[in-house]
Every structure is written in structure tokens, then in C-alpha cells.
Amino acid sequence: MRQFKHHEKKLLRKVDLYSWKGEDNLRVAKILRRYHIQDREDYTAYNRICGMITKLAAKLKTLKSDDAFRIAMTDQLLTKMKDLGLISKATSLKNAEDVTASSLCRRRIPVI
């Protein structure tokens, strides 16, 4: 193998070849196999949806607890999630924060 040139060495200093972003590949592969998901993009979309739900619940928690808008939006979010089958009880925002990508995968038709 040839020696690296100066600019190549300089570029490789900034790159770590031993660790990379996708370190949770085994967990994701296990979930994809368990729920019969063909595309990894589907799982990432479910994960993104869960992040949005968690972010929405966190924003609703920042409002005052006696705020009419917060009460209405919390009730609407929880009933919609209960109707979709993502949560079992529509009691508090804590249930909305605990939604995972696996709970969305369980609601897919091939799994049922």
C-alpha cells in the first residue's frame, strides 16, 4: 500500500474510522426483524414521529396547568393517541412522552 500524501493525512486526522454514527445497528435490526419491517427508513420515520410527539408533550408541559389551551390540546392529543392504540390510558402527558417507535411498529398491519 502506498504512503498517504500530505493532504490525505490531513483529512484523515479529522476522521475516526473506528466509531461511527450508526452504533445502534443491532438494536434497530432486531426491531426491524421483530416487526417485519422491510425498509429501515420506515423505522426512522416512526422514530421521528415519536420525537415529535415527545417534543409536543414537553411544550404542552411548559404551559400553565390551568391554561384552557393546554387542557384542550392535551385532551385532543391523548384521545388521538388512544384511538390509534399507541397508549392504553389517556390519563396524562406522561403517557404521551413514553411513546416509542416500537409502539408505532406494533400498530402496523403486517404485525397484527
Side-chain angles (χ1 to χ4, degrees):
M1 190 169 153
R2 71 174 179 83
Q3 292 287 324
F4 289 123
K5 294 180 181 173
H6 176 70
H7 71 280
E8 293 171 338
K9 286 181 186 176
K10 203 169 165 185
L11 286 173
L12 283 174
R13 268 190 240 144
K14 298 176 184 176
V15 178
D16 185 11
L17 298 175
Y18 296 109
S19 64
W20 50 86
K21 240 185 217 184
E23 299 233 347
D24 60 345
N25 284 337
L26 293 175
R27 184 182 60 84
V28 171
K30 192 175 177 182
I31 291 172
L32 292 177
R33 201 173 325 113
R34 181 185 305 150
Y35 296 113
H36 308 286
I37 299 173
Q38 273 76 31
D39 293 330
R40 185 181 224 94
E41 289 82 29
D42 290 342
Y43 178 74
T44 56
Y46 298 150
N47 220 355
R48 197 172 299 124
I49 290 170
C50 292
M52 288 182 203
I53 291 171
T54 306
K55 191 186 294 185
L56 179 64
K59 288 207 186 258
L60 284 174
K61 275 188 167 184
T62 59
L63 296 173
K64 293 179 183 174
S65 60
D66 59 343
D67 189 15
F69 179 75
R70 175 186 170 168
I71 294 169
M73 288 298 113
T74 302
D75 186 44
Q76 185 178 1
L77 176 68
L78 291 175
T79 54
K80 189 168 289 218
M81 289 175 62
K82 174 132 176 41
D83 292 342
L84 287 173
L86 299 178
I87 56 176
S88 57
K89 292 178 269 182
T91 54
S92 69
L93 280 175
K94 179 72 175 138
N95 294 342
E97 284 182 337
D98 295 337
V99 172
T100 60
S102 294
S103 62
L104 280 167
C105 292
R106 280 190 292 269
R107 300 304 303 157
R108 289 171 43 96
I109 291 191
V111 176
I112 298 173

